[in-house]
Amino acid sequence: MRSDNARAGMQQAPARSLFNALGFTPEEMKKPMVGIVSSYNEIVPGHMNIDKIVDAVKLGVAEAGGVPVVFPAIAVCDGIAMGHIGMKYSLVTRDLIADSTECMALAHQFDALVMVPNCDKNVPGLLMAAARLDLPTVFVSGGPMLAGHVGGQKRSLSSMFEAVGAHAAGNMTEDEVENFVENVCPTCGSCSGMYTANSMNCLTEALGMGLRGNGTIPAVYSERIRLAKHAGMAVMDMYNKGITARQIMTKEAVLNALTVDMALGCSTNSMLHLPAIAHEIGFDFDIEFANPISEKTPNLCHLAPAGPTYMEDLNEAGGVWAVMKELADIGLLNTDCMTVTGKTVGENIANAVNRNPEVIRPVDNPYTKTGGLAVLKGNLAPDGSVVKRSAVVPEMLVHEGPARVFDSEEDAIAAIKGGKIVEGDVVVIRYEGPKGGPGMREMLNPTSAIAGMGLGSSVALITDGRFSGASRGASIGHVSPEAAVGGPIALVEEGDIIAIDIPNYTMTLKVSDEELAARKAKWQPREPRVTTGYLRRYAAQVTSGNRGAILRTPEL
């Protein structure tokens, strides 16, 4: 046992005295020590129930012969952090979570781990740590929120943000907005659409790191407690069989996850997190992998904000495994990949059933023949940019219009709500990238304001920042290189014509090479927005969005 390094022999007698202080019995000292990484806190709705999940995991581990030991991981609620300096601290926590989990796991020599995350950066941060540590590891999330109900229709957090935009446009009263406030988020859990948290929890199943239902069983269902108990048992089975995280998280598994991403219509944030997870296993993930996979992968699901269905509906329809079965039947998945069940992907999904062909479209009747995400390149984004194609209305898949240029999210929101953006415009928000923000804020407020004001089918938005999974419309993020390092987005001027062609994966600034060179010669870097604390260190180390905003290491 790895834990013997901390507990066995005369040299470790002082450590044993400290385990004695913890209440360990002599019998427990002879059993594998399983770290349970608890993301419980009282500020994130997706995490307020995780204490119950952790208790269930502990029972499962103990029943299967291990000793469960809980330690914490932080998490940020992106919805609460949205629209102020707090959003600068969202993405940056992903690396803090990975690093601190590595520190705890190796300092105390755990034999195995169960990760209990739920929200946006918490899940990928722990996946990065799992890949780095290469221990027997199982994930079990806190689960998604049930959809809310307003006016007889299912609603979720994206509806709430769009209600604010509708109010600004004079189309909704304050009382009507308050009705949304009271009803769109009715339970604990990760917000109920296919936003970033649920995207990453679903992709954890596709990677093979979570049991069936990890991404879809609602937080308030007792079935999730049973799932957590089984996760504790499963990690002990992995330990006994010698199955570790990197035997599961392979290049082939990452590409499986990207394929499932396309079918589900996941958040664009997955195109930050999958490269970062791949980096931890030594796989150089190029975001352009998305396009050839998208070309052959049908989009089977239109969950909110792309459509009227929610995570509870996906769960009832058969969940992620039913989606994977559809894809495997036409040869789009590597079914030989190992999983935390101790079985292959193919063995796991062999009996999966699609119970609702309106929620999970069969592969012969997809929403579209191409996947949910696309990577656009061109002289405005030489290293790439990302759009959630499945959430773009057909009339905006190809668009050309004048640039309306803003150097911060706040300036753009003021212009949108002030009625200064009109049909046909292309809103450009820059200096919000990983380094320039710093922290690459999500742009849910401006995209929701555009949608709420009735401009979602006529206005595009381009940024070197990123979008929430709750964003919809022609919202193109992760523009690389970013403005802070002199990328072409820094050279755009008010009124320049920008052409977007999503089907052909291009985004073009209609300005001559000579004019761009002249503008580049005059460009000067901006003074850093943050000069103290963690964000200052992060800005100095972070790479661009197309690299997953991973932190720079000597080889980079």
PDB file of all heavy atoms in Angstrom, residues 2-39:
ATOM      1  N   ARG A   2       0.499   2.235  -0.836  1.00  0.00           N
ATOM      2  CA  ARG A   2       1.212   3.504  -0.839  1.00  0.00           C
ATOM      3  C   ARG A   2       1.169   4.158   0.536  1.00  0.00           C
ATOM      4  O   ARG A   2       2.127   4.793   0.982  1.00  0.00           O
ATOM      5  CB  ARG A   2       0.577   4.435  -1.875  1.00  0.00           C
ATOM      6  CG  ARG A   2       1.203   5.824  -1.947  1.00  0.00           C
ATOM      7  CD  ARG A   2       0.354   6.758  -2.778  1.00  0.00           C
ATOM      8  NE  ARG A   2       0.340   6.365  -4.171  1.00  0.00           N
ATOM      9  CZ  ARG A   2       1.026   7.002  -5.125  1.00  0.00           C
ATOM     10  NH1 ARG A   2       1.756   8.055  -4.820  1.00  0.00           N
ATOM     11  NH2 ARG A   2       0.975   6.592  -6.365  1.00  0.00           N
ATOM     12  N   SER A   3       0.028   4.005   1.223  1.00  0.00           N
ATOM     13  CA  SER A   3      -0.123   4.647   2.535  1.00  0.00           C
ATOM     14  C   SER A   3       0.852   4.103   3.564  1.00  0.00           C
ATOM     15  O   SER A   3       1.099   4.754   4.600  1.00  0.00           O
ATOM     16  CB  SER A   3      -1.557   4.485   3.044  1.00  0.00           C
ATOM     17  OG  SER A   3      -1.927   3.127   3.082  1.00  0.00           O
ATOM     18  N   ASP A   4       1.450   2.925   3.318  1.00  0.00           N
ATOM     19  CA  ASP A   4       2.471   2.414   4.238  1.00  0.00           C
ATOM     20  C   ASP A   4       3.662   3.359   4.332  1.00  0.00           C
ATOM     21  O   ASP A   4       4.381   3.365   5.339  1.00  0.00           O
ATOM     22  CB  ASP A   4       2.946   1.027   3.793  1.00  0.00           C
ATOM     23  CG  ASP A   4       1.930  -0.064   4.124  1.00  0.00           C
ATOM     24  OD1 ASP A   4       0.990   0.209   4.906  1.00  0.00           O
ATOM     25  OD2 ASP A   4       2.071  -1.179   3.585  1.00  0.00           O
ATOM     26  N   ASN A   5       3.893   4.149   3.274  1.00  0.00           N
ATOM     27  CA  ASN A   5       4.975   5.132   3.332  1.00  0.00           C
ATOM     28  C   ASN A   5       4.787   6.118   4.473  1.00  0.00           C
ATOM     29  O   ASN A   5       5.750   6.696   4.981  1.00  0.00           O
ATOM     30  CB  ASN A   5       5.062   5.921   2.019  1.00  0.00           C
ATOM     31  CG  ASN A   5       5.458   5.065   0.847  1.00  0.00           C
ATOM     32  OD1 ASN A   5       6.176   4.077   1.009  1.00  0.00           O
ATOM     33  ND2 ASN A   5       4.987   5.415  -0.345  1.00  0.00           N
ATOM     34  N   ALA A   6       3.527   6.321   4.865  1.00  0.00           N
ATOM     35  CA  ALA A   6       3.225   7.268   5.936  1.00  0.00           C
ATOM     36  C   ALA A   6       2.882   6.597   7.258  1.00  0.00           C
ATOM     37  O   ALA A   6       2.767   7.269   8.277  1.00  0.00           O
ATOM     38  CB  ALA A   6       2.047   8.156   5.520  1.00  0.00           C
ATOM     39  N   ARG A   7       2.726   5.233   7.225  1.00  0.00           N
ATOM     40  CA  ARG A   7       2.193   4.600   8.434  1.00  0.00           C
ATOM     41  C   ARG A   7       3.012   3.429   8.955  1.00  0.00           C
ATOM     42  O   ARG A   7       2.909   3.088  10.133  1.00  0.00           O
ATOM     43  CB  ARG A   7       0.768   4.084   8.166  1.00  0.00           C
ATOM     44  CG  ARG A   7      -0.224   5.143   7.773  1.00  0.00           C
ATOM     45  CD  ARG A   7      -1.638   4.606   7.695  1.00  0.00           C
ATOM     46  NE  ARG A   7      -1.821   3.567   6.683  1.00  0.00           N
ATOM     47  CZ  ARG A   7      -2.986   3.058   6.338  1.00  0.00           C
ATOM     48  NH1 ARG A   7      -4.087   3.474   6.943  1.00  0.00           N
ATOM     49  NH2 ARG A   7      -3.085   2.117   5.404  1.00  0.00           N
ATOM     50  N   ALA A   8       3.827   2.807   8.122  1.00  0.00           N
ATOM     51  CA  ALA A   8       4.434   1.532   8.506  1.00  0.00           C
ATOM     52  C   ALA A   8       5.891   1.703   8.919  1.00  0.00           C
ATOM     53  O   ALA A   8       6.602   2.580   8.427  1.00  0.00           O
ATOM     54  CB  ALA A   8       4.340   0.545   7.349  1.00  0.00           C
ATOM     55  N   GLY A   9       6.340   0.826   9.818  1.00  0.00           N
ATOM     56  CA  GLY A   9       7.748   0.776  10.194  1.00  0.00           C
ATOM     57  C   GLY A   9       8.088   1.731  11.334  1.00  0.00           C
ATOM     58  O   GLY A   9       7.346   2.657  11.661  1.00  0.00           O
ATOM     59  N   MET A  10       9.275   1.475  11.919  1.00  0.00           N
ATOM     60  CA  MET A  10       9.702   2.267  13.062  1.00  0.00           C
ATOM     61  C   MET A  10       9.866   3.743  12.707  1.00  0.00           C
ATOM     62  O   MET A  10       9.536   4.633  13.502  1.00  0.00           O
ATOM     63  CB  MET A  10      11.031   1.709  13.603  1.00  0.00           C
ATOM     64  CG  MET A  10      11.539   2.433  14.851  1.00  0.00           C
ATOM     65  SD  MET A  10      10.325   2.455  16.207  1.00  0.00           S
ATOM     66  CE  MET A  10      10.200   0.696  16.554  1.00  0.00           C
ATOM     67  N   GLN A  11      10.359   4.006  11.493  1.00  0.00           N
ATOM     68  CA  GLN A  11      10.600   5.406  11.117  1.00  0.00           C
ATOM     69  C   GLN A  11       9.297   6.214  11.111  1.00  0.00           C
ATOM     70  O   GLN A  11       9.310   7.425  11.343  1.00  0.00           O
ATOM     71  CB  GLN A  11      11.251   5.481   9.735  1.00  0.00           C
ATOM     72  CG  GLN A  11      11.624   6.891   9.311  1.00  0.00           C
ATOM     73  CD  GLN A  11      12.446   6.901   8.038  1.00  0.00           C
ATOM     74  OE1 GLN A  11      13.284   6.031   7.840  1.00  0.00           O
ATOM     75  NE2 GLN A  11      12.182   7.874   7.177  1.00  0.00           N
ATOM     76  N   GLN A  12       8.182   5.539  10.832  1.00  0.00           N
ATOM     77  CA  GLN A  12       6.905   6.249  10.760  1.00  0.00           C
ATOM     78  C   GLN A  12       6.117   6.173  12.070  1.00  0.00           C
ATOM     79  O   GLN A  12       4.942   6.526  12.101  1.00  0.00           O
ATOM     80  CB  GLN A  12       6.058   5.692   9.618  1.00  0.00           C
ATOM     81  CG  GLN A  12       6.637   5.971   8.229  1.00  0.00           C
ATOM     82  CD  GLN A  12       6.958   7.446   8.027  1.00  0.00           C
ATOM     83  OE1 GLN A  12       8.109   7.826   7.841  1.00  0.00           O
ATOM     84  NE2 GLN A  12       5.931   8.277   8.112  1.00  0.00           N
ATOM     85  N   ALA A  13       6.769   5.747  13.145  1.00  0.00           N
ATOM     86  CA  ALA A  13       6.086   5.707  14.440  1.00  0.00           C
ATOM     87  C   ALA A  13       5.538   7.076  14.843  1.00  0.00           C
ATOM     88  O   ALA A  13       4.405   7.162  15.349  1.00  0.00           O
ATOM     89  CB  ALA A  13       7.029   5.170  15.519  1.00  0.00           C
ATOM     90  N   PRO A  14       6.278   8.179  14.608  1.00  0.00           N
ATOM     91  CA  PRO A  14       5.690   9.492  14.931  1.00  0.00           C
ATOM     92  C   PRO A  14       4.414   9.767  14.144  1.00  0.00           C
ATOM     93  O   PRO A  14       3.445  10.320  14.681  1.00  0.00           O
ATOM     94  CB  PRO A  14       6.797  10.477  14.559  1.00  0.00           C
ATOM     95  CG  PRO A  14       8.061   9.689  14.672  1.00  0.00           C
ATOM     96  CD  PRO A  14       7.692   8.316  14.201  1.00  0.00           C
ATOM     97  N   ALA A  15       4.404   9.369  12.864  1.00  0.00           N
ATOM     98  CA  ALA A  15       3.193   9.561  12.058  1.00  0.00           C
ATOM     99  C   ALA A  15       2.050   8.722  12.604  1.00  0.00           C
ATOM    100  O   ALA A  15       0.890   9.177  12.638  1.00  0.00           O
ATOM    101  CB  ALA A  15       3.469   9.206  10.602  1.00  0.00           C
ATOM    102  N   ARG A  16       2.378   7.490  13.059  1.00  0.00           N
ATOM    103  CA  ARG A  16       1.311   6.646  13.607  1.00  0.00           C
ATOM    104  C   ARG A  16       0.698   7.272  14.845  1.00  0.00           C
ATOM    105  O   ARG A  16      -0.498   7.123  15.101  1.00  0.00           O
ATOM    106  CB  ARG A  16       1.846   5.244  13.930  1.00  0.00           C
ATOM    107  CG  ARG A  16       2.078   4.380  12.705  1.00  0.00           C
ATOM    108  CD  ARG A  16       2.149   2.909  13.035  1.00  0.00           C
ATOM    109  NE  ARG A  16       3.228   2.567  13.953  1.00  0.00           N
ATOM    110  CZ  ARG A  16       4.506   2.418  13.603  1.00  0.00           C
ATOM    111  NH1 ARG A  16       4.857   2.573  12.330  1.00  0.00           N
ATOM    112  NH2 ARG A  16       5.417   2.103  14.498  1.00  0.00           N
ATOM    113  N   SER A  17       1.500   7.985  15.596  1.00  0.00           N
ATOM    114  CA  SER A  17       0.944   8.659  16.770  1.00  0.00           C
ATOM    115  C   SER A  17      -0.059   9.731  16.356  1.00  0.00           C
ATOM    116  O   SER A  17      -1.051   9.973  17.051  1.00  0.00           O
ATOM    117  CB  SER A  17       2.062   9.274  17.621  1.00  0.00           C
ATOM    118  OG  SER A  17       2.636  10.412  16.996  1.00  0.00           O
ATOM    119  N   LEU A  18       0.193  10.349  15.195  1.00  0.00           N
ATOM    120  CA  LEU A  18      -0.742  11.360  14.701  1.00  0.00           C
ATOM    121  C   LEU A  18      -2.003  10.711  14.131  1.00  0.00           C
ATOM    122  O   LEU A  18      -3.104  11.255  14.272  1.00  0.00           O
ATOM    123  CB  LEU A  18      -0.058  12.231  13.646  1.00  0.00           C
ATOM    124  CG  LEU A  18       1.097  13.076  14.193  1.00  0.00           C
ATOM    125  CD1 LEU A  18       1.860  13.748  13.059  1.00  0.00           C
ATOM    126  CD2 LEU A  18       0.581  14.118  15.169  1.00  0.00           C
ATOM    127  N   PHE A  19      -1.864   9.555  13.483  1.00  0.00           N
ATOM    128  CA  PHE A  19      -3.056   8.815  13.075  1.00  0.00           C
ATOM    129  C   PHE A  19      -3.855   8.384  14.304  1.00  0.00           C
ATOM    130  O   PHE A  19      -5.088   8.373  14.287  1.00  0.00           O
ATOM    131  CB  PHE A  19      -2.665   7.593  12.235  1.00  0.00           C
ATOM    132  CG  PHE A  19      -2.375   7.908  10.797  1.00  0.00           C
ATOM    133  CD1 PHE A  19      -1.071   7.934  10.322  1.00  0.00           C
ATOM    134  CD2 PHE A  19      -3.407   8.194   9.919  1.00  0.00           C
ATOM    135  CE1 PHE A  19      -0.797   8.224   8.995  1.00  0.00           C
ATOM    136  CE2 PHE A  19      -3.144   8.486   8.588  1.00  0.00           C
ATOM    137  CZ  PHE A  19      -1.843   8.511   8.122  1.00  0.00           C
ATOM    138  N   ASN A  20      -3.155   8.030  15.375  1.00  0.00           N
ATOM    139  CA  ASN A  20      -3.823   7.690  16.631  1.00  0.00           C
ATOM    140  C   ASN A  20      -4.627   8.882  17.129  1.00  0.00           C
ATOM    141  O   ASN A  20      -5.767   8.740  17.599  1.00  0.00           O
ATOM    142  CB  ASN A  20      -2.783   7.269  17.671  1.00  0.00           C
ATOM    143  CG  ASN A  20      -3.427   6.748  18.941  1.00  0.00           C
ATOM    144  OD1 ASN A  20      -4.155   5.771  18.914  1.00  0.00           O
ATOM    145  ND2 ASN A  20      -3.157   7.425  20.057  1.00  0.00           N
ATOM    146  N   ALA A  21      -4.041  10.074  16.973  1.00  0.00           N
ATOM    147  CA  ALA A  21      -4.749  11.290  17.385  1.00  0.00           C
ATOM    148  C   ALA A  21      -5.999  11.527  16.548  1.00  0.00           C
ATOM    149  O   ALA A  21      -6.974  12.134  17.010  1.00  0.00           O
ATOM    150  CB  ALA A  21      -3.818  12.499  17.269  1.00  0.00           C
ATOM    151  N   LEU A  22      -5.982  11.038  15.319  1.00  0.00           N
ATOM    152  CA  LEU A  22      -7.150  11.161  14.444  1.00  0.00           C
ATOM    153  C   LEU A  22      -8.238  10.141  14.779  1.00  0.00           C
ATOM    154  O   LEU A  22      -9.341  10.215  14.234  1.00  0.00           O
ATOM    155  CB  LEU A  22      -6.731  10.970  12.980  1.00  0.00           C
ATOM    156  CG  LEU A  22      -5.930  12.111  12.342  1.00  0.00           C
ATOM    157  CD1 LEU A  22      -5.303  11.645  11.034  1.00  0.00           C
ATOM    158  CD2 LEU A  22      -6.819  13.319  12.108  1.00  0.00           C
ATOM    159  N   GLY A  23      -7.918   9.173  15.619  1.00  0.00           N
ATOM    160  CA  GLY A  23      -8.896   8.157  15.988  1.00  0.00           C
ATOM    161  C   GLY A  23      -8.809   6.889  15.175  1.00  0.00           C
ATOM    162  O   GLY A  23      -9.703   6.042  15.238  1.00  0.00           O
ATOM    163  N   PHE A  24      -7.735   6.725  14.377  1.00  0.00           N
ATOM    164  CA  PHE A  24      -7.556   5.491  13.609  1.00  0.00           C
ATOM    165  C   PHE A  24      -7.339   4.319  14.564  1.00  0.00           C
ATOM    166  O   PHE A  24      -6.578   4.411  15.526  1.00  0.00           O
ATOM    167  CB  PHE A  24      -6.345   5.613  12.688  1.00  0.00           C
ATOM    168  CG  PHE A  24      -6.630   6.259  11.353  1.00  0.00           C
ATOM    169  CD1 PHE A  24      -7.193   7.522  11.282  1.00  0.00           C
ATOM    170  CD2 PHE A  24      -6.327   5.608  10.173  1.00  0.00           C
ATOM    171  CE1 PHE A  24      -7.454   8.125  10.065  1.00  0.00           C
ATOM    172  CE2 PHE A  24      -6.584   6.203   8.938  1.00  0.00           C
ATOM    173  CZ  PHE A  24      -7.144   7.462   8.880  1.00  0.00           C
ATOM    174  N   THR A  25      -7.991   3.191  14.250  1.00  0.00           N
ATOM    175  CA  THR A  25      -7.800   1.973  15.027  1.00  0.00           C
ATOM    176  C   THR A  25      -6.655   1.157  14.417  1.00  0.00           C
ATOM    177  O   THR A  25      -6.300   1.355  13.246  1.00  0.00           O
ATOM    178  CB  THR A  25      -9.073   1.121  15.022  1.00  0.00           C
ATOM    179  OG1 THR A  25      -9.306   0.651  13.683  1.00  0.00           O
ATOM    180  CG2 THR A  25     -10.280   1.917  15.515  1.00  0.00           C
ATOM    181  N   PRO A  26      -6.095   0.237  15.160  1.00  0.00           N
ATOM    182  CA  PRO A  26      -5.062  -0.636  14.576  1.00  0.00           C
ATOM    183  C   PRO A  26      -5.562  -1.383  13.342  1.00  0.00           C
ATOM    184  O   PRO A  26      -4.811  -1.599  12.393  1.00  0.00           O
ATOM    185  CB  PRO A  26      -4.732  -1.600  15.722  1.00  0.00           C
ATOM    186  CG  PRO A  26      -5.060  -0.834  16.967  1.00  0.00           C
ATOM    187  CD  PRO A  26      -6.259  -0.001  16.617  1.00  0.00           C
ATOM    188  N   GLU A  27      -6.847  -1.745  13.339  1.00  0.00           N
ATOM    189  CA  GLU A  27      -7.399  -2.451  12.194  1.00  0.00           C
ATOM    190  C   GLU A  27      -7.426  -1.537  10.961  1.00  0.00           C
ATOM    191  O   GLU A  27      -7.108  -1.955   9.841  1.00  0.00           O
ATOM    192  CB  GLU A  27      -8.820  -2.928  12.508  1.00  0.00           C
ATOM    193  CG  GLU A  27      -8.904  -4.020  13.568  1.00  0.00           C
ATOM    194  CD  GLU A  27      -8.830  -3.472  15.003  1.00  0.00           C
ATOM    195  OE1 GLU A  27      -8.815  -2.220  15.173  1.00  0.00           O
ATOM    196  OE2 GLU A  27      -8.774  -4.287  15.928  1.00  0.00           O
ATOM    197  N   GLU A  28      -7.788  -0.280  11.165  1.00  0.00           N
ATOM    198  CA  GLU A  28      -7.837   0.666  10.041  1.00  0.00           C
ATOM    199  C   GLU A  28      -6.451   0.953   9.482  1.00  0.00           C
ATOM    200  O   GLU A  28      -6.297   1.197   8.282  1.00  0.00           O
ATOM    201  CB  GLU A  28      -8.502   1.969  10.484  1.00  0.00           C
ATOM    202  CG  GLU A  28     -10.002   1.855  10.697  1.00  0.00           C
ATOM    203  CD  GLU A  28     -10.604   3.123  11.252  1.00  0.00           C
ATOM    204  OE1 GLU A  28      -9.988   3.738  12.148  1.00  0.00           O
ATOM    205  OE2 GLU A  28     -11.698   3.511  10.797  1.00  0.00           O
ATOM    206  N   MET A  29      -5.454   0.898  10.360  1.00  0.00           N
ATOM    207  CA  MET A  29      -4.090   1.194   9.909  1.00  0.00           C
ATOM    208  C   MET A  29      -3.576   0.160   8.915  1.00  0.00           C
ATOM    209  O   MET A  29      -2.603   0.401   8.203  1.00  0.00           O
ATOM    210  CB  MET A  29      -3.153   1.263  11.114  1.00  0.00           C
ATOM    211  CG  MET A  29      -3.442   2.421  12.052  1.00  0.00           C
ATOM    212  SD  MET A  29      -2.932   3.999  11.369  1.00  0.00           S
ATOM    213  CE  MET A  29      -1.178   3.897  11.629  1.00  0.00           C
ATOM    214  N   LYS A  30      -4.254  -0.985   8.835  1.00  0.00           N
ATOM    215  CA  LYS A  30      -3.828  -2.046   7.925  1.00  0.00           C
ATOM    216  C   LYS A  30      -4.612  -2.048   6.613  1.00  0.00           C
ATOM    217  O   LYS A  30      -4.375  -2.883   5.750  1.00  0.00           O
ATOM    218  CB  LYS A  30      -4.004  -3.407   8.617  1.00  0.00           C
ATOM    219  CG  LYS A  30      -3.131  -3.569   9.867  1.00  0.00           C
ATOM    220  CD  LYS A  30      -3.457  -4.864  10.587  1.00  0.00           C
ATOM    221  CE  LYS A  30      -2.651  -4.986  11.882  1.00  0.00           C
ATOM    222  NZ  LYS A  30      -3.030  -6.219  12.635  1.00  0.00           N
ATOM    223  N   LYS A  31      -5.556  -1.117   6.479  1.00  0.00           N
ATOM    224  CA  LYS A  31      -6.419  -1.081   5.287  1.00  0.00           C
ATOM    225  C   LYS A  31      -6.019   0.061   4.357  1.00  0.00           C
ATOM    226  O   LYS A  31      -5.403   1.034   4.793  1.00  0.00           O
ATOM    227  CB  LYS A  31      -7.879  -0.905   5.710  1.00  0.00           C
ATOM    228  CG  LYS A  31      -8.443  -2.066   6.517  1.00  0.00           C
ATOM    229  CD  LYS A  31      -9.889  -1.786   6.915  1.00  0.00           C
ATOM    230  CE  LYS A  31     -10.468  -2.946   7.707  1.00  0.00           C
ATOM    231  NZ  LYS A  31     -11.887  -2.683   8.113  1.00  0.00           N
ATOM    232  N   PRO A  32      -6.368  -0.038   3.083  1.00  0.00           N
ATOM    233  CA  PRO A  32      -6.084   1.061   2.151  1.00  0.00           C
ATOM    234  C   PRO A  32      -6.778   2.353   2.606  1.00  0.00           C
ATOM    235  O   PRO A  32      -7.927   2.335   3.068  1.00  0.00           O
ATOM    236  CB  PRO A  32      -6.673   0.568   0.830  1.00  0.00           C
ATOM    237  CG  PRO A  32      -6.765  -0.911   0.966  1.00  0.00           C
ATOM    238  CD  PRO A  32      -7.018  -1.184   2.406  1.00  0.00           C
ATOM    239  N   MET A  33      -6.073   3.460   2.467  1.00  0.00           N
ATOM    240  CA  MET A  33      -6.593   4.767   2.871  1.00  0.00           C
ATOM    241  C   MET A  33      -7.088   5.512   1.626  1.00  0.00           C
ATOM    242  O   MET A  33      -6.318   5.779   0.705  1.00  0.00           O
ATOM    243  CB  MET A  33      -5.500   5.562   3.586  1.00  0.00           C
ATOM    244  CG  MET A  33      -5.988   6.836   4.237  1.00  0.00           C
ATOM    245  SD  MET A  33      -4.786   7.536   5.400  1.00  0.00           S
ATOM    246  CE  MET A  33      -3.422   7.940   4.302  1.00  0.00           C
ATOM    247  N   VAL A  34      -8.366   5.801   1.605  1.00  0.00           N
ATOM    248  CA  VAL A  34      -9.002   6.394   0.434  1.00  0.00           C
ATOM    249  C   VAL A  34      -9.340   7.858   0.717  1.00  0.00           C
ATOM    250  O   VAL A  34     -10.156   8.153   1.602  1.00  0.00           O
ATOM    251  CB  VAL A  34     -10.279   5.631   0.035  1.00  0.00           C
ATOM    252  CG1 VAL A  34     -10.931   6.273  -1.192  1.00  0.00           C
ATOM    253  CG2 VAL A  34      -9.952   4.164  -0.232  1.00  0.00           C
ATOM    254  N   GLY A  35      -8.719   8.756  -0.024  1.00  0.00           N
ATOM    255  CA  GLY A  35      -9.029  10.166   0.118  1.00  0.00           C
ATOM    256  C   GLY A  35     -10.329  10.502  -0.594  1.00  0.00           C
ATOM    257  O   GLY A  35     -10.537  10.125  -1.755  1.00  0.00           O
ATOM    258  N   ILE A  36     -11.225  11.179   0.092  1.00  0.00           N
ATOM    259  CA  ILE A  36     -12.473  11.642  -0.507  1.00  0.00           C
ATOM    260  C   ILE A  36     -12.400  13.156  -0.604  1.00  0.00           C
ATOM    261  O   ILE A  36     -12.382  13.852   0.410  1.00  0.00           O
ATOM    262  CB  ILE A  36     -13.698  11.197   0.307  1.00  0.00           C
ATOM    263  CG1 ILE A  36     -13.710   9.669   0.432  1.00  0.00           C
ATOM    264  CG2 ILE A  36     -14.984  11.700  -0.335  1.00  0.00           C
ATOM    265  CD1 ILE A  36     -14.771   9.139   1.359  1.00  0.00           C
ATOM    266  N   VAL A  37     -12.316  13.652  -1.835  1.00  0.00           N
ATOM    267  CA  VAL A  37     -12.138  15.082  -2.044  1.00  0.00           C
ATOM    268  C   VAL A  37     -13.516  15.724  -2.074  1.00  0.00           C
ATOM    269  O   VAL A  37     -14.256  15.602  -3.054  1.00  0.00           O
ATOM    270  CB  VAL A  37     -11.372  15.369  -3.345  1.00  0.00           C
ATOM    271  CG1 VAL A  37     -11.056  16.853  -3.458  1.00  0.00           C
ATOM    272  CG2 VAL A  37     -10.079  14.551  -3.385  1.00  0.00           C
ATOM    273  N   SER A  38     -13.860  16.404  -0.993  1.00  0.00           N
ATOM    274  CA  SER A  38     -15.183  16.979  -0.832  1.00  0.00           C
ATOM    275  C   SER A  38     -15.190  18.450  -1.250  1.00  0.00           C
ATOM    276  O   SER A  38     -14.447  19.264  -0.705  1.00  0.00           O
ATOM    277  CB  SER A  38     -15.636  16.883   0.627  1.00  0.00           C
ATOM    278  OG  SER A  38     -16.823  17.640   0.823  1.00  0.00           O
ATOM    279  N   SER A  39     -16.064  18.770  -2.188  1.00  0.00           N
ATOM    280  CA  SER A  39     -16.206  20.152  -2.635  1.00  0.00           C
ATOM    281  C   SER A  39     -17.387  20.841  -1.958  1.00  0.00           C
ATOM    282  O   SER A  39     -17.891  21.859  -2.445  1.00  0.00           O
ATOM    283  CB  SER A  39     -16.393  20.185  -4.156  1.00  0.00           C
ATOM    284  OG  SER A  39     -15.334  19.529  -4.796  1.00  0.00           O
TER     285      SER A  39
END
